[in-house]
Amino acid sequence: MGTDDGMIDETGMLLRDGAAFVLQRDRGGRYVLELARVPVDHVQKRVRIRGMLCSDGRVAVDGISGA
């Protein structure tokens, strides 16, 4: 869930979309993710992400884990 300070803590399915990774959110909608490393172990799986919502609508991910 997003907060007023721009922090994101969400769960959903981690998917590839071309060269990008997206989180298909459990609560509907999706976020395009900015990741420091490629999370190959989590693709096509349900995950939890934490990060900061950027002005362009992407999420700069600080952490990703299995949900």
Side-chain angles (χ1 to χ4, degrees), residues 8 10-26 28-35 37-39 42-49 57-61 64:
I8 300 294
E10 291 272 352
T11 57
M13 183 72 66
L14 179 66
L15 304 171
R16 280 189 191 253
D17 185 5
F21 289 93
V22 298
L23 180 73
Q24 185 65 47
R25 299 168 56 204
D26 287 343
R30 60 194 302 179
Y31 285 127
V32 176
L33 307 177
E34 291 182 9
L35 299 160
R37 66 175 193 83
V38 177
H42 295 297
V43 176
Q44 297 288 336
K45 295 181 181 169
R46 192 164 175 272
V47 297
R48 178 179 185 183
I49 64 158
R58 294 176 183 258
V59 175
V61 176
I64 187 168

